[in-house]
Structure formats: structure tokens, C-alpha cells
Amino acid sequence: MPNARVLRDIKARHGVNANEILRRAYLYVARNQTLPAQVRFQAQLQLNTFGRYTRPTTVKNRCIESGRGRGIISEFGLSRYQFRLKALADELPGVHKASW
């Protein structure tokens, strides 16, 4: 069972994916200097109506095993410690402990 932080991150990822195109359109209009100020202001107001978990900055890479938010190896989605444990147990294909 994932912890609350992992569930929050999953919720944020779904929210970002669902609203990405509309948010980018409003951002483009709000930042376009050639458009009238009133149109840009309306686009900014529309951006403010989006929820918290629709912003891409709320998405954080977390370990899928422990929920840890730091030291994530993005190719595997695991923290350093979980990556090491799984590599030593041969649970990661193509990953072996180095020895020379």
C-alpha cells in the first residue's frame, strides 16, 4: 500500500496530464505581449481557477517502493537504497554489482 505522499504524487500526475493542453494554451495567451491587456488578464484569471495539482511543479519523482523523495534513480523509479537491495537480490534485469 503506497503512503500518502506517493498517492498525492499520483494524483498530481493525473491532474497535470488531464489539464496540460488547456494550461499551456492559457499560458501562451497570458504571456503573449502582442495581445491586448484585457485578453491576457482574462487568460491569467482562467489560469488561477485551476486547482493545485494541475501545475507541473507539484509533480515530484518518488520511490515506488518506499515513497522516498530524494536520491531517486529515474530509470528505475527507485531510491538509492531500494535500488541497491533489488540489485543485490537480482530483481533488476541487467543490473549487477560491480566487482573488479
Side-chain angles (χ1 to χ4, degrees), residues 13-26:
R13 287 178 190 271
H14 288 301
V16 168
N17 286 338
N19 296 304
E20 181 180 9
I21 296 171
L22 196 55
R23 276 188 62 85
R24 284 186 185 233
Y26 282 134

Side-chain angles (χ1 to χ4, degrees), residues 3-13 52-53 62:
N3 63 17
R5 291 185 183 114
V6 174
L7 293 175
R8 185 184 319 137
D9 188 57
I10 292 170
K11 180 180 174 183
R13 287 178 190 271
R52 172 192 295 176
Y53 295 122
R62 293 201 166 267

Side-chain angles (χ1 to χ4, degrees), residues 30-94:
R31 293 176 179 170
N32 190 348
Q33 296 283 329
T34 60
L35 293 175
Q38 184 64 27
V39 173
R40 295 174 57 214
F41 181 70
Q42 290 298 322
Q44 188 64 45
L45 289 177
Q46 289 297 321
L47 276 172
N48 291 341
T49 62
F50 282 108
R52 172 192 295 176
Y53 295 122
T54 60
R55 293 189 298 262
T57 55
T58 60
V59 173
K60 181 170 180 63
N61 288 334
R62 293 201 166 267
C63 176
I64 57 176
E65 291 289 322
S66 63
R68 184 175 164 85
R70 292 176 172 228
I72 305 301
I73 300 172
S74 59
E75 296 172 14
F76 299 95
L78 296 170
S79 64
R80 295 170 292 137
Y81 183 68
Q82 294 295 327
F83 177 80
R84 182 175 187 274
L85 290 178
K86 287 189 173 288
L88 290 176
D90 285 333
E91 295 178 9
L92 299 174

